[in-house]
Amino acid sequence: MQSFMSDGVCAEHQDRDKSSARLVLSDRVFVIGLLFRLIVSNGLLDQFISYTSSGGSIVEKLHPGTLLVMLACMLPRKKNINAEFASFRVVSLAFFTIISYGTFYLLLRSGLSSIAYIVDTFLCAIFAGIYLATAPQHVARLVVNIILVIAGVNAFIGIGEMILQKHLLPDPGFSFGYFRSYAIFGHPLLNALMTGTVGIFVLRSRVLGNASVIYFLLLGTAILAFGARAALLVFVPLAIIAEFARVRSIARTAGELLRKTAAIFIGTTIFTATGLFLMVNTRFGERFIAMSDGSDNSIMARFGIKALLESMNSSEILFGVSPQAKQLLIELNPYLATIENFWVDMALSFGIVTFAPISVMLICYIWSAAKSNISAGMTSSLFFLIVASTNNSLSVKSPALLMLVVLLIASRGLIQSARCSRAQSIRNY
């Protein structure tokens, strides 16, 4: 029975692979929208329209890439039905329903002020995931290649900016007490979140073959250029654990396991020595050392949240506060210039009653997108959730969730197709 089902699944993928590799109109619109959403940062878009700044029409508040992705979902196309994504489509619909409820709730309470944020950060990712779940293999392959190329180019630019101590792209309008690279994605914390997610995925999946480790090291170096301490603290140990787990699963003999483990140990030692050198000789290292006693302003901004709750009544905690009231709470707190945790930020905006189902469905949505027979999706999603919880990258109009979901869904289809090809080769042999 199992063999029959496997043959059926492979036959389905073979039929899909035989279809024309031509991009139809909706595919072209989707790909252009994805490109726009990833490479046109918030700060860059602000230089042309009132995207995050005050003023402007409601249309200006939505990212052009988001509009194109949603338009692609509405255009007619031939959909590929894949049983592998049945549960993902159900979870996507549930998440869409919960997010729509939250949007309507904010609309009634605070007007249009937060609608564009929800559309650009969450709804865009939902629409893109559903689109790719029914897209042919050549579209999924193109999308994965786009993400890998953009993340790689972004890392090169980030490292180049750090070496030259100069921003190579238009200034997105951020300012820090020391130099940090902005590259393509804009804000350094968003850069680190997206770069690290792709790096962990490539290392765990070996989607680039022998070049996967080199690509991973490139993206890891870029995280240093972005000056993201929390991302680096998660990136290194999670990568080591994931790589050791992979070695154990593929090692055929005790000698091979020993050799590969030794290689991991040597690589880790070199990376640690380099990190200690940076700790002692760079401003980035000074900021790491400042974490130990909690004196760093950024650390205090993350853990000084208790004062916010103490100044709120039970009704505000349960049902949320307006953007104006939230800003007042921040201004009254001596440790906060902004809220550095997106869970807290969402809880304040929605209130616990609405935030609870949204947060649960967000985790279920990411898990459903990552679910597969390999651990690359799970490992990269774990990195994404941990690092996103340490900053406000998902509290603003962000393409991070879009990139994660698109990468996971597109690669799942390719992995299944590759397995079918290998199985077919074995049967032919």
Side-chain angles (χ1 to χ4, degrees), residues 76-252:
R77 64 188 174 101
K78 182 179 178 180
K79 298 181 180 180
N80 294 274
I81 305 302
N82 188 347
E84 181 187 10
F85 294 112
S87 62
F88 172 74
R89 288 194 291 269
V90 171
V91 175
S92 296
L93 180 60
F95 188 37
F96 175 81
T97 303
I98 292 296
I99 285 291
S100 297
Y101 158 73
T103 304
F104 184 68
Y105 174 73
L106 290 180
L107 182 64
L108 291 178
R109 197 192 65 194
S110 305
L112 297 173
S113 59
S114 298
I115 304 304
Y117 154 68
I118 295 177
V119 173
D120 276 344
T121 303
F122 298 106
L123 290 182
C124 182
I126 295 174
F127 276 88
I130 293 176
Y131 186 92
L132 284 174
T134 56
Q137 289 298 308
H138 64 274
V139 176
R141 187 174 295 107
L142 175 61
V143 164
V144 171
N145 290 339
I146 286 174
I147 291 178
L148 296 184
V149 169
I150 290 177
V153 172
N154 183 73
F156 267 118
I157 294 175
I159 295 171
E161 289 182 343
M162 178 56 67
I163 294 174
L164 299 174
Q165 292 288 292
K166 178 181 179 181
H167 295 128
L168 303 178
L169 298 177
D171 191 344
F174 309 123
S175 60
F176 299 93
Y178 68 105
F179 186 88
R180 300 173 77 171
S181 300
Y182 297 156
I184 297 173
F185 298 144
H187 198 286
L189 296 181
L190 178 61
N191 259 297
L193 174 62
M194 297 173 67
T195 300
T197 299
V198 176
I200 291 289
F201 179 86
V202 169
L203 180 70
R204 194 68 181 91
S205 67
R206 289 301 200 273
V207 69
L208 293 178
N210 294 332
S212 296
V213 174
I214 297 176
Y215 184 88
F216 166 81
L217 292 175
L218 170 68
L219 268 59
T221 305
I223 294 178
L224 287 172
F226 302 134
R229 296 169 295 176
L232 193 64
L233 286 175
V234 179
F235 186 76
V236 175
L238 187 60
I240 294 172
I241 294 171
E243 186 65 6
F244 183 71
R246 178 183 176 275
V247 166
R248 288 192 60 186
S249 66
I250 66 173
R252 296 179 177 85

Side-chain angles (χ1 to χ4, degrees), residues 365-376:
Y365 177 67
I366 294 175
W367 179 85
S368 180
K371 185 177 61 176
S372 65
N373 293 327
I374 65 168
S375 61

Side-chain angles (χ1 to χ4, degrees), residues 136-391:
Q137 289 298 308
H138 64 274
V139 176
R141 187 174 295 107
L142 175 61
V143 164
V144 171
N145 290 339
I146 286 174
I147 291 178
L148 296 184
V149 169
I150 290 177
V153 172
N154 183 73
F156 267 118
I157 294 175
I159 295 171
E161 289 182 343
M162 178 56 67
I163 294 174
L164 299 174
Q165 292 288 292
K166 178 181 179 181
H167 295 128
L168 303 178
L169 298 177
D171 191 344
F174 309 123
S175 60
F176 299 93
Y178 68 105
F179 186 88
R180 300 173 77 171
S181 300
Y182 297 156
I184 297 173
F185 298 144
H187 198 286
L189 296 181
L190 178 61
N191 259 297
L193 174 62
M194 297 173 67
T195 300
T197 299
V198 176
I200 291 289
F201 179 86
V202 169
L203 180 70
R204 194 68 181 91
S205 67
R206 289 301 200 273
V207 69
L208 293 178
N210 294 332
S212 296
V213 174
I214 297 176
Y215 184 88
F216 166 81
L217 292 175
L218 170 68
L219 268 59
T221 305
I223 294 178
L224 287 172
F226 302 134
R229 296 169 295 176
L232 193 64
L233 286 175
V234 179
F235 186 76
V236 175
L238 187 60
I240 294 172
I241 294 171
E243 186 65 6
F244 183 71
R246 178 183 176 275
V247 166
R248 288 192 60 186
S249 66
I250 66 173
R252 296 179 177 85
T253 65
E256 183 180 4
L257 176 61
L258 182 61
R259 288 193 302 272
K260 291 183 179 294
T261 302
I264 294 175
F265 176 77
I266 293 172
T268 302
T269 301
I270 295 174
F271 197 91
T272 302
T274 304
L276 290 175
F277 174 80
L278 292 173
M279 284 279 197
V280 176
N281 295 282
T282 66
R283 180 70 182 273
F284 186 47
E286 293 178 9
R287 296 183 70 242
F288 258 111
I289 296 173
M291 295 173 66
S292 60
D293 60 5
S295 61
D296 182 74
N297 290 335
S298 181
I299 299 298
M300 295 303 295
R302 285 164 171 80
F303 294 98
I305 301 297
K306 183 180 177 182
L308 287 179
L309 300 178
E310 291 175 347
S311 58
M312 297 172 61
N313 57 46
S314 58
S315 176
E316 290 174 330
I317 293 175
L318 289 175
F319 303 106
V321 297
S322 66
Q324 295 77 15
K326 183 169 63 174
Q327 184 59 38
L328 181 61
L329 288 172
I330 294 173
E331 292 174 355
L332 293 176
N333 190 312
Y335 300 115
L336 299 181
T338 185
I339 297 175
E340 297 283 359
N341 185 304
F342 93 94
W343 298 107
V344 174
D345 196 22
M346 287 178 62
L348 290 176
S349 297
F350 288 106
I352 297 299
V353 173
T354 304
F355 166 73
I358 289 179
S359 60
V360 170
M361 282 308 307
L362 174 59
I363 295 174
C364 291
Y365 177 67
I366 294 175
W367 179 85
S368 180
K371 185 177 61 176
S372 65
N373 293 327
I374 65 168
S375 61
M378 294 295 183
T379 309
S380 54
S381 296
L382 179 62
F383 172 88
F384 181 90
L385 283 172
I386 293 175
V387 176
S389 299
T390 67
N391 60 50

